[in-house]
């Protein structure tokens, strides 16, 4: 059978993004951590040999993606894109040290837009290769994770120690770990409480017509309150409460700190979970429930054996939405003294130190992607066979 | 045996069922029928306490059902519905196993029962046991629905339009299968339908309902020949005679017929054809293959050349068919007789239009 040769437009776009990234600054040399720096182009940043290597790799990517979408070329494309990721960061780490030689002690080198855009372009290509490589699991995993694994290894080995963001990190290792744990505790705890509360409210909404409207009215309204405002709004009532009942303070309930942050995050995580629980239970075919009842299943058996397994995928999908959203929102909680990775962001904003902001922001993004991947796996595992499209 | 005594059900001011008394005898198929909103489904659902009656009493084998726990009662009654309601996250085997498992049957007994039931409804256990409902056709799903209702071998079966959601051809097959299974198992069945043809085909007795009341409860023959009032008369319609034909099997009307084989020499064919205008043609195994018109003989030098090839499924009927099917084939093909074949397709005789007319004439007005 002849195979249709379709151009791989996703990989082409990725390659073009990558090539474009070579035209803008790769590294920025700054006299101090808060001073405005000078942007260095590709060749100034990583030298002629390094620059031409990256350029060559990207051109190879473009040519390969123009020749069509085949299983074999997808493997090559994926490997090329991973090589670009690895080479770029190896070179950037190497040359950041060289650029600082002969500069003042307080001078800094930080990553320019070019590096990030090359990274983005490379992952667009990798994404496209992944799609084509549906059949072979081994190659798909190699292509997806190889570059990332090397980056993590380089990071741990201190390869990037001369780059400003790592300079910000060094000396703050303990603080970083502490705020990271605090962040995980903030969103994890809130989502856990939100899940229990949300599922209960969702079930209640399906069982009682009287409760349905107020539950959705409240969860919908709270979702529209800007997060910053909600954090702020909670300060007053909680302070009043802790003054009225001093015993509460012993449990850490005060106007500022963890208590209002967790409450706000719980409130935000409610809507997706309540909504998905409600829809998950309501979408069930009434005939299925009727058949269960007619065959002599008790109310509890119908809930456990029919409703729970059939609604689980949607409910967990709601928990996934809530989790990813909470990872981001928890960053704002630092503003009311709850700590977390947001602490670095607000410190950086206060000092106008962009790299300190990144030290908070990048881990938040990584954490969100990680949580998303984990939750997706959980949803997949929890989806009963036999749901979804029939596969003969 | 199911016995309803002056059962009523009202929702606020609306009365769904009024003072209904009805007996379904052991091993009998009773079909509840009537226009939509007549209370037939409500009546059915009161028998397994999915709906509680407002007044009256219901007995199953002499025991009043209000004294039995609803779950326990339902586990002893088979239940099949139009939308089937198979559990989508369970395999066919697990779906069938629901009630046996609720009754704590041993695993090996359940497994054995699943095999037995799949075979009973004509599905290969090896192929179907591990399938999920979304891999089944509508007809297959309804068969599984019936198998699931029969799982714990309940003496009583409640069926709410069990063959409703499939195409007419599949429905006819499912009905034939139901009759075969019922002949074997002799369950006490209460079945709801709005399809009069289905009722006439399946019922030992039909209970016609209108606005919550039982209007007539009698055998199909009686309902067709002696409608109790204008409502039943209109409900049954003006094609009563035609409908009655579907209660009469062709078996006693089959008469011997002339046929030639594909290999019969032309000379012999000519002698057979002297006595009639056409003859059926069979192959060397006696299986129906077509027919031969006398006028086409002179031009041909073999049976194969002269014959008209006929589709066995479209032209022939089996000896289990009804006179109505025979008549429908005759009209459809423009024949005045129709060949009858056995299970293997071998010609065993024919039924003629004259016989159908005679049978109609003999029916009571």
């Amino acid at each position: 059978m002849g195979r249709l040769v379709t151009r791989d437009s996703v990989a082409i776009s990725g390659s073009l993004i990558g090539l474009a990234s070579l035209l803008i600054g790769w590294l920025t040399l700054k006299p101090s951590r808060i001073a405005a720096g000078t942007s260095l182009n590709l060749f100034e940043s990583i030298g002629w040999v390094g620059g031409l290597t990256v350029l060559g790799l990207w051109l190879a990517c473009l040519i390969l993606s123009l020749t069509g979408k085949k299983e074999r070329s997808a493997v090559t494309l994926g490997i090329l894109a991973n090589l670009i990721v690895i080479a770029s960061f190896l070179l950037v780490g190497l040359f950041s040290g060289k650029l600082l030689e002969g500069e003042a002690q307080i001078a800094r080198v930080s990553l320019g837009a070019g590096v990030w855009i090359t990274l983005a372009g490379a992952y667009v290509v990798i994404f496209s290769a992944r799609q084509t490589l549906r059949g072979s699991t081994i190659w798909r995993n190699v292509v997806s994770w190889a570059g990332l694994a090397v980056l993590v290894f380089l990071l741990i080995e201190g390869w990037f120690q001369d780059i400003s963001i790592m300079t910000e990190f060094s000396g703050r290792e303990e603080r970083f770990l502490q705020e990271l744990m605090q962040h995980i505790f903030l969103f994890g705890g809130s989502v856990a409480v939100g899940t229990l509360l949300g599922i209960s409210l969702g079930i209640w909404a399906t069982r009682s017509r009287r409760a349905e409207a107020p539950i959705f009215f409240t969860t919908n309204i709270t979702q529209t309150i800007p997060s910053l405002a909600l954090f702020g709004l909670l300060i007053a009532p909680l302070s009043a409460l802790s003054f009225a009942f001093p015993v509460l303070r012993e449990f850490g309930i005060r106007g500022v700190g963890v208590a209002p942050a967790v409450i706000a995050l719980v409130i935000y995580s409610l809507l997706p979970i309540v909504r998905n629980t409600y829809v998950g239970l309501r979408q069930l075919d009434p005939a299925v429930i009727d058949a269960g009842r007619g065959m002599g299943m008790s109310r509890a058996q119908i809930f456990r054996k029919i409703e729970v397994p059939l609604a689980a995928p949607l409910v967990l999908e709601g928990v996934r939405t809530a989790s990813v959203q909470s990872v981001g929102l928890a960053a704002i909680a630092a503003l009311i003294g709850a700590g977390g990775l947001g602490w670095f962001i607000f410190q950086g904003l206060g000092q106008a130190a962009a790299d300190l902001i990144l030290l908070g922001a990048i881990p938040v993004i990584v954490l969100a992607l990680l949580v998303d991947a984990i939750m997706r796996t959980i949803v997949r595992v929890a989806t009963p066979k036999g749901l979804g499209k029939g596969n003969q | 045996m199911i016995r309803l005594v002056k059962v009523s059900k009202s929702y606020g001011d609306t009365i769904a069922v009024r003072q209904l008394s009805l007996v379904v005898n052991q091993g009998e198929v009773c079909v509840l029928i009537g226009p939509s909103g007549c209370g037939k489904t409500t009546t059915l659902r009161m028998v397994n306490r999915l709906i509680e009656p407002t007044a009256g009493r219901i007995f199953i084998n002499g025991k009043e059902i209000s004294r039995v726990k609803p779950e326990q009662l339902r586990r002893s009654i088979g239940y099949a519905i139009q939308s089937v309601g198979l559990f989508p996250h369970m395999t066919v085997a697990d779906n069938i196993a629901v009630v046996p498992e609720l009754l704590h049957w041993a695993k090996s007994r359940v497994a054995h029962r699943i095999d037995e039931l799949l075979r009973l409804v004509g599905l290969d256990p090896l192929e179907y046991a591990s399938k999920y409902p979304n891999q089944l056709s509508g007809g297959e799903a309804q068969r599984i629905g019936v198998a699931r209702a029969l799982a714990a071998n309940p003496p009583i079966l409640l069926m709410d339009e069990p063959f409703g959601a499939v195409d007419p051809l599949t429905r006819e097959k499912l009905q034939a299968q139901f009759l075969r299974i019922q002949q074997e198992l002799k369950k006490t069945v209460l079945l709801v339908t709005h399809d009069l043809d289905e009722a006439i085909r399946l019922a030992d007795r039909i209970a016609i309902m209108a606005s919550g009341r039982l209007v007539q409860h009698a055998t199909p023959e009686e309902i067709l020949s002696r409608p109790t009032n204008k409502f039943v008369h209109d409900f049954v319609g003006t094609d009563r005679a035609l409908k009655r034909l579907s209660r009469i099997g062709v078996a006693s009307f089959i008469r011997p017929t002339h046929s030639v084989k594909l290999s019969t020499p032309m000379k012999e064919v000519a002698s057979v054809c002297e006595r009639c205008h056409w003859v059926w043609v069979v192959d060397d195994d006696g299986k129906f293959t077509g027919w031969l018109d006398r006028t086409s003989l002179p031009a041909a030098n073999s049976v194969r050349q002269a014959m008209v090839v006929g589709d066995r499924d479209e032209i022939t009927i089996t000896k289990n068919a009804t006179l109505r099917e025979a008549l429908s084939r005759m009209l459809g093909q423009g024949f005045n007789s129709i060949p009858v074949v056995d299970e293997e397709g071998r010609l065993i005789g024919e039924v003629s239009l004259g016989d159908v007319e005679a049978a109609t004439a003999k029916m009571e007005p």
Side-chain angles (χ1 to χ4, degrees):
Chain A
M1 276 204 305
R3 225 169 158 189
L4 245 168
V5 177
T6 49
R7 282 241 181 74
D8 186 350
S9 51
V10 178
I12 294 171
S13 326
S15 308
L16 291 176
I17 291 172
L19 284 168
S21 77
L22 306 183
L23 302 175
I24 48 180
W26 269 51
L27 290 174
T28 306
L29 185 63
K30 299 189 285 192
S32 77
R33 71 189 279 251
I34 56 171
T38 39
S39 182
L40 305 175
N41 69 29
L42 180 69
F43 299 112
E44 291 166 340
S45 299
I46 56 175
W48 284 101
V49 179
L52 287 174
T53 308
V54 177
L55 176 66
L57 285 169
W58 270 126
L59 281 173
C61 249
L62 181 66
I63 291 163
L64 203 61
S65 53
L66 281 170
T67 59
K69 203 166 186 168
K70 284 182 228 103
E71 190 90 2
R72 206 161 32 123
S73 72
V75 173
T76 322
L77 255 181
I79 292 172
L80 268 178
N82 278 292
L83 279 179
I84 289 170
V85 170
I86 295 164
S88 305
F89 278 84
L90 266 177
L91 289 163
V92 158
L94 187 70
F95 278 86
S96 55
K98 287 193 178 169
L99 282 170
L100 285 176
E101 277 167 24
E103 296 284 338
Q105 189 69 44
I106 57 164
R108 295 285 184 92
V109 170
S110 52
L111 299 177
V115 182
W116 297 117
I117 294 172
T118 271
L119 186 68
Y123 274 92
V124 169
V125 174
I126 288 170
F127 173 77
S128 149
R130 254 179 77 101
Q131 297 293 96
T132 317
L133 291 174
R134 295 244 156 214
S136 97
T137 327
I138 299 171
W139 277 115
R140 208 177 60 213
N141 281 327
V142 168
V143 163
S144 307
W145 304 111
L148 211 63
V150 174
L151 280 197
V152 170
F153 175 76
L154 290 177
L155 188 70
I156 293 167
E157 283 298 296
W159 187 259
F160 305 121
Q161 60 174 347
D162 293 320
I163 293 172
S164 184
I165 177 171
M166 292 313 289
T167 322
E168 297 289 351
F169 176 68
S170 70
R172 290 194 180 91
E173 287 96 342
E174 247 172 68
R175 185 74 199 235
F176 181 83
L177 209 65
Q178 181 197 325
E179 299 301 353
L180 178 68
M181 295 318 288
Q182 175 75 354
H183 202 93
I184 292 172
F185 161 77
L186 277 176
F187 94 82
S190 313
V191 170
V193 175
T195 301
L196 287 179
L197 207 60
I199 291 177
S200 316
L201 285 174
I203 294 172
W204 190 20
T206 58
R207 300 282 191 262
S208 148
R209 287 214 170 278
R210 286 224 338 251
E212 184 185 332
I215 287 173
F216 278 101
F217 180 76
T218 322
T219 46
N220 277 316
I221 284 291
T222 51
Q223 200 74 11
T224 63
I225 303 174
S227 48
L228 210 55
L230 185 58
F231 283 121
L233 282 173
L234 284 168
I235 294 177
L238 282 174
S239 311
L241 208 63
S242 68
F243 275 110
F245 305 98
V247 65
L248 288 177
R249 303 177 142 215
E250 295 188 20
F251 297 103
I253 296 183
R254 284 176 294 132
V256 293
V258 173
V262 169
I263 291 173
L265 289 174
V266 167
I267 290 174
Y268 278 119
S269 61
L270 281 183
L271 180 65
I273 298 171
V274 172
R275 195 213 302 116
N276 280 30
T277 305
Y278 179 83
V279 174
L281 289 171
R282 269 293 154 89
Q283 52 133 34
L284 298 184
D285 183 357
V288 169
I289 310 290
D290 184 52
R293 259 170 37 95
M295 285 191 293
M297 292 172 107
S298 66
R299 196 74 206 82
Q301 283 166 332
I302 288 173
F303 182 70
R304 204 174 65 240
K305 291 186 176 170
I306 305 176
E307 292 181 310
V308 168
L310 289 180
L314 252 183
V315 174
L316 289 170
E317 194 61 38
V319 175
R320 183 178 72 84
T321 312
S323 308
V324 174
Q325 175 188 285
S326 294
V327 171
L329 281 173
I332 299 169
L335 209 61
I336 53 167
L341 291 167
W343 188 84
F344 296 105
I345 298 175
F346 290 111
Q347 286 288 313
L349 280 171
Q351 301 170 13
D355 292 307
L356 191 55
I357 299 176
L358 287 182
L359 184 62
I362 292 172
V364 169
I365 295 168
V366 173
L367 201 58
L369 292 176
L370 210 65
V371 167
D372 188 53
I374 292 169
M375 284 307 298
R376 270 177 204 279
T377 311
I378 292 176
V379 170
R380 204 175 54 233
V381 171
T383 303
K385 264 170 92 182
L387 289 193
K389 285 170 193 77
N391 39 342
Q392 294 277 5
Chain B
M1 192 179 82
I2 308 169
R3 190 154 63 95
L4 285 77
V5 184
K6 292 190 173 170
V7 173
S8 300
K9 175 70 191 178
S10 50
Y11 298 95
D13 289 340
T14 28
I15 300 172
V17 177
R18 302 165 200 253
Q19 299 273 316
L20 183 100
S21 294
L22 179 76
V23 173
V24 185
N25 292 315
Q26 190 86 42
E28 181 184 271
V29 178
C30 174
V31 174
L32 277 172
I33 191 168
S36 56
C38 70
K40 52 190 192 292
T41 295
T42 308
T43 304
L44 180 96
R45 289 167 72 88
M46 285 193 287
V47 176
N48 65 357
R49 295 190 65 186
L50 284 170
I51 296 174
E52 296 289 349
T54 320
R57 303 161 79 184
I58 300 172
F59 300 89
I60 288 181
N61 296 332
K63 196 167 185 187
E64 189 163 3
I65 60 166
S66 59
R67 294 172 194 273
V68 187
K69 251 185 81 188
E71 280 86 31
Q72 211 176 334
L73 174 76
R74 290 174 199 148
R75 286 169 201 177
S76 66
I77 298 176
Y79 184 60
I81 52 178
Q82 174 180 14
S83 29
V84 193
L86 292 179
F87 301 149
H89 59 303
M90 294 185 190
T91 60
V92 163
D94 291 339
N95 265 288
I96 296 175
V98 169
V99 180
E101 267 163 19
L102 287 172
L103 295 170
H104 307 292
W105 283 21
K107 272 215 160 63
S108 59
R109 188 177 168 206
V110 176
H112 181 253
R113 184 66 181 154
I114 291 166
D115 263 32
E116 191 175 48
L117 283 164
L118 281 173
R119 264 189 268 273
L120 183 71
V121 297
L123 297 173
D124 178 14
L126 281 177
E127 189 187 342
Y128 284 90
S130 57
K131 280 197 177 189
Y132 283 91
N134 65 1
Q135 299 170 310
L136 303 173
S137 71
E140 287 165 348
Q142 296 216 332
R143 287 180 199 205
I144 304 296
V146 172
R148 185 170 69 166
L150 289 167
N153 204 9
I156 291 170
L157 223 51
L158 302 179
M159 308 176 99
D160 193 349
E161 307 215 11
F163 315 121
V166 289
D167 60 278
L169 204 70
T170 311
R171 187 179 314 145
E172 215 166 277
K173 283 183 188 156
L174 290 174
Q175 288 166 348
Q177 187 178 53
F178 171 80
L179 284 173
R180 180 176 58 72
I181 292 173
Q182 172 60 10
Q183 221 164 35
E184 190 180 323
L185 302 181
K186 294 262 179 279
K187 301 285 180 193
T188 306
V189 182
L190 188 58
L191 187 148
V192 163
T193 184
H194 64 262
D195 175 358
L196 187 61
D197 292 322
E198 179 168 276
I200 291 166
R201 183 158 189 205
L202 302 182
D204 293 315
R205 291 223 240 176
I206 295 178
I208 300 187
M209 289 181 71
S211 354
R213 285 203 182 84
L214 183 63
V215 186
Q216 186 169 10
H217 181 214
T219 61
E221 288 81 2
E222 212 176 326
I223 281 183
L224 289 169
S225 58
R226 284 193 296 273
T228 188
N229 61 15
K230 187 166 183 317
F231 173 81
V232 178
H233 182 274
D234 293 346
F235 186 77
V236 169
T238 45
D239 58 346
R240 293 205 306 278
L242 198 56
K243 290 201 166 77
R244 284 164 76 179
L245 286 178
S246 63
R247 293 292 297 183
I248 306 171
V250 296
S252 55
F253 294 89
I254 302 172
R255 53 176 72 226
T257 180
H258 300 294
S259 66
V260 296
K261 288 187 175 175
L262 283 171
S263 55
T264 309
M266 288 306 277
K267 237 188 243 168
E268 241 173 85
V269 175
S271 76
V272 172
C273 282
E274 254 167 39
R275 276 165 283 150
C276 53
H277 287 281
W278 64 6
V279 288
W280 305 120
V281 179
V282 296
D283 65 11
D284 291 340
D285 295 333
K287 290 184 181 170
F288 175 86
T289 36
W291 67 90
L292 195 62
D293 198 322
R294 195 162 67 178
T295 54
S296 66
L297 281 184
N301 43 27
S302 75
V303 171
R304 202 180 283 279
Q305 210 175 3
M307 71 177 285
V308 179
V309 177
D311 183 339
R312 199 177 299 152
D313 287 338
E314 267 177 30
I315 295 171
T316 66
I317 54 172
T318 65
K319 61 177 190 291
N320 300 325
T322 65
L323 280 185
R324 185 178 178 167
E325 285 167 272
L327 180 61
S328 145
R329 291 284 155 93
M330 287 178 212
L331 297 175
Q333 299 292 333
F335 294 167
N336 52 24
S337 67
I338 206 83
V340 183
V341 297
D342 64 10
E343 280 79 12
E344 272 77 50
R346 283 189 292 264
L347 186 68
I348 52 177
E350 65 176 24
V351 174
S352 73
L353 190 56
D355 294 329
V356 179
E357 278 170 332
T360 325
K362 254 189 277 171
M363 291 191 288
E364 297 170 58

